[in-house]
């Protein structure tokens, strides 16, 4: 590249050659950048023209305070994320209060770290960046080579104007806040990879749900009436054609045991949608699951196979089950296979029948993993 000229018609400007560019100081490069951008600085007032005043130190301390709070909050987040008791506890067990505080504590510490970091950056800009009023002409198209080369110098100069080089308190606190915050994000990202969800083989928590049978035990389909100890088992005549009910597992051994009843309702992989199709609705059944339904009644896991939201909506006109999170749709008449949206796997079907008492019962647990499709993959 050789020296040349640029500018609007009638105002040709001398452009430095690569050799001249190499010789230029950062200040000259920054000035050149402003000229090339046709920036006219109308007013430039430094916030602290005399370095080292008490006002400047006060401003520096207030910015550093926010970065320090962000760093402390990031540390608190990491400690809480790793060490706070997070395993499920029912309200009847010791440690329930600590367990129920896990999400608020992790959320609050992470949120405050982000907030304090953001406030620190904003406070730094407001307190130390010079008051500048500039006018720049607007141009179309990409920047040329020289403009790109001078941009870094311009940014460096802008940083120098704020005096960042000599503000070690702000540099140290901002570095600690950014570093610890990044560490916290890294810990949160790596944590799910550390535990082995397959530990336990076929008995691993990912393979069994509350619908699992113990020998000689009947697992009923029970609706949630809103009253914990009230047991309402579902019978075919309870539902109109085109209706849907959410049901949970129930065993007679759990009657009167509030803790077990609550656990059955709260366990994330237990909710099932019991759907009654309208009579005569044609269906396609999945190979090997031809007898999982009972007449027009079909029971599918309510946990979306995309990311695990509850697929709470059933549209009787189209026989579609809808997940409100990312709009996946599943066809109830075709073994709940996905027909729209990001889900790629059918909702697992629970094998059901009606026992001699006339109540719906589960014939076995699900025969595949419940929940996001990722978990279906065996190691
Ligand atoms: S969780 Fe259901 S569509 Fe994403």
């Amino acid at each position: 590249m050789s020296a040349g000229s640029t500018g609007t018609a009638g105002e040709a400007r001398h452009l430095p050659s690569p050799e001249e560019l190499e010789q230029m100081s950062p200040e000259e490069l920054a000035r050149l950048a402003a000229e090339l951008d046709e920036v006219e600085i109308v007013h430039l007032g430094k916030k602290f023209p005399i370095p080292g005043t008490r006002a400047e130190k006060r401003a520096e301390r207030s910015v550093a305070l926010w970065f320090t709070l962000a760093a402390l909050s990031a540390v608190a987040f990491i400690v809480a994320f790793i060490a706070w008791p997070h395993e499920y506890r029912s309200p009847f067990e010791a440690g329930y209060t600590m367990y129920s505080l896990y999400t608020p504590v992790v959320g609050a510490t992470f949120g405050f770290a982000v907030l304090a970091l953001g406030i620190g950056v904003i406070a730094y800009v407001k307190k130390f960046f010079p008051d500048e009023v500039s006018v720049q002409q607007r141009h179309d198209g990409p920047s040329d080579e020289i403009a790109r080369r001078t941009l870094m110098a311009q940014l460096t100069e802008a940083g120098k104007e704020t005096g960042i080089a000599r503000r070690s308190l702000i540099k140290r606190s901002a570095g600690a806040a950014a570093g610890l915050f990044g560490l916290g994000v890294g810990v949160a990202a790596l944590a799910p990879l550390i535990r082995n969800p397959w530990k336990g083989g076929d008995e691993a928590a990912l393979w069994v749900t509350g619908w699992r049978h113990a020998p000689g035990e009947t697992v009923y389909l029970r609706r949630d009436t809103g009253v914990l100890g009230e047991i309402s088992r579902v019978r075919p005549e309870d539902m109109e054609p085109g209706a849907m009910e959410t049901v949970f597992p129930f065993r007679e051994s759990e009657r009167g045991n509030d803790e077990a009843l609550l656990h059955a309702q709260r366990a994330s992989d237990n909710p099932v949608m019991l759907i009654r199709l309208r009579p005569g609705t044609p269906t396609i059944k999945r190979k090997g699951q031809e007898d999982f339904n009972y007449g027009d009644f079909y029971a599918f896991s309510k946990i979306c196979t995309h990311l695990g939201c509850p697929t709470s909506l059933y549209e009787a006109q189209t026989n579609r089950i809808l997940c409100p999170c990312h709009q996946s749709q599943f066809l109830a008449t075709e073994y709940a296979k996905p027909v729209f949206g990001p889900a790629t796997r059918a909702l697992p079907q629970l094998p059901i029948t009606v026992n001699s008492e006339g109540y719906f019962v589960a014939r076995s647990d699900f025969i595949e993993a419940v929940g996001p499709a990722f978990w279906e993959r065996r190691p």
Side-chain angles (χ1 to χ4, degrees):
M1 189 180 111
S2 60
S5 63
T6 187
T8 52
E11 343 168 352
R13 178 182 293 117
H14 169 77
L15 292 181
S17 66
E19 295 73 35
E20 287 172 319
L21 271 180
E22 293 300 330
Q23 303 294 322
M24 291 171 79
S25 68
E27 291 84 353
E28 289 170 327
L29 286 169
R31 253 198 322 275
L32 176 61
E35 278 175 30
L36 290 174
D37 289 343
E38 291 181 46
V39 172
E40 184 192 349
I41 299 174
V42 181
H43 168 77
L44 182 65
K46 287 192 173 181
K47 288 281 172 51
F48 300 101
I50 304 167
T53 59
R54 288 170 74 174
E56 185 185 12
K57 292 214 175 312
R58 211 167 34 245
E60 200 170 329
R61 279 198 298 274
S62 75
V63 172
L65 176 67
W66 282 110
F67 287 138
T68 305
L69 289 175
L72 291 175
S73 202
V75 170
F77 164 73
I78 294 169
V79 172
F81 188 85
I82 294 172
W84 199 279
H86 64 276
E87 298 284 353
Y88 174 75
R89 294 269 185 286
S90 77
F92 309 94
E93 287 179 276
Y96 173 73
T97 305
M98 291 294 277
Y99 156 74
S100 60
L101 286 174
Y102 175 75
T103 303
V105 167
V106 166
T109 49
F110 184 82
F112 189 74
V114 176
L115 184 70
L117 197 56
I119 292 177
V121 171
I122 292 169
Y124 179 73
V125 171
K126 286 184 83 105
K127 288 180 191 292
F128 293 103
F129 269 57
D131 293 326
E132 180 182 313
V133 179
S134 301
V135 178
Q136 181 180 23
Q137 302 304 320
R138 182 179 169 174
H139 297 287
D140 295 329
S143 307
D144 58 25
E145 172 68 12
I146 291 180
R148 287 198 289 269
R149 293 265 311 265
T150 52
L151 176 66
M152 280 315 295
Q154 203 171 19
L155 292 176
T156 308
E157 277 304 291
K160 275 165 72 178
E161 290 292 332
T162 72
I164 187 69
R166 60 191 167 82
R167 301 192 198 287
S168 56
L169 183 60
I170 289 182
K171 277 196 294 187
R172 279 202 298 268
S173 57
L180 287 166
F181 181 72
L183 183 65
V185 172
V187 166
L190 286 177
L193 305 176
I194 291 172
R195 286 171 117 206
N196 178 8
W198 310 110
K199 202 171 155 192
D202 288 343
E203 294 300 302
L206 287 172
W207 291 118
V208 295
T209 74
W211 296 96
R212 186 168 70 146
H213 286 200
E217 188 178 54
T218 302
V219 182
Y220 294 90
L221 277 61
R222 174 200 172 208
R223 60 173 63 86
D224 177 11
T225 62
V227 179
L228 185 60
E230 188 176 55
I231 307 302
S232 176
R233 293 173 291 175
V234 185
R235 296 168 305 176
E237 56 268 35
D238 295 342
M239 294 175 66
E240 296 291 333
M244 187 276 277
E245 272 218 66
T246 300
V247 293
F248 303 89
F250 168 71
R251 300 159 176 79
E252 278 300 338
S253 58
E254 295 168 349
R255 195 180 283 273
N257 183 342
D258 285 353
E259 184 180 341
L261 293 174
L262 191 65
H263 184 75
Q265 279 179 217
R266 290 225 174 138
S268 56
D269 47 8
N270 280 355
V272 158
M273 281 176 295
L274 180 62
I275 293 172
R276 181 174 185 181
L277 299 179
R278 281 166 299 178
T281 305
T283 58
I284 297 177
K285 294 179 185 172
R286 202 168 180 182
K287 195 161 177 277
Q289 303 186 9
E290 292 86 353
D291 59 349
F292 276 23
N293 60 303
Y294 177 79
D296 293 330
F297 293 85
Y298 291 75
F300 298 109
S301 165
K302 195 168 181 169
I303 309 305
C304 183
T305 51
H306 177 223
L307 290 179
C309 284
T311 53
S312 321
L313 310 168
Y314 170 60
E315 195 179 67
Q317 295 300 319
T318 59
N319 289 309
R320 289 189 178 205
I321 299 161
L322 314 177
C323 178
C325 281
H326 312 102
Q327 285 69 53
S328 283
Q329 297 184 15
F330 306 86
L331 205 50
T333 50
E334 274 194 56
Y335 55 86
K337 76 172 188 187
V339 289
F340 182 81
T344 56
R345 187 167 70 97
L347 297 172
Q349 187 171 353
L350 184 73
I352 55 168
T353 187
V354 169
N355 73 355
S356 56
E357 305 165 277
Y359 291 110
F360 277 115
V361 295
R363 289 171 42 211
S364 75
D365 200 349
F366 291 99
I367 62 166
E368 59 188 313
V370 166
F374 170 81
W375 301 116
E376 191 185 24
R377 300 160 97 192
R378 292 260 189 189

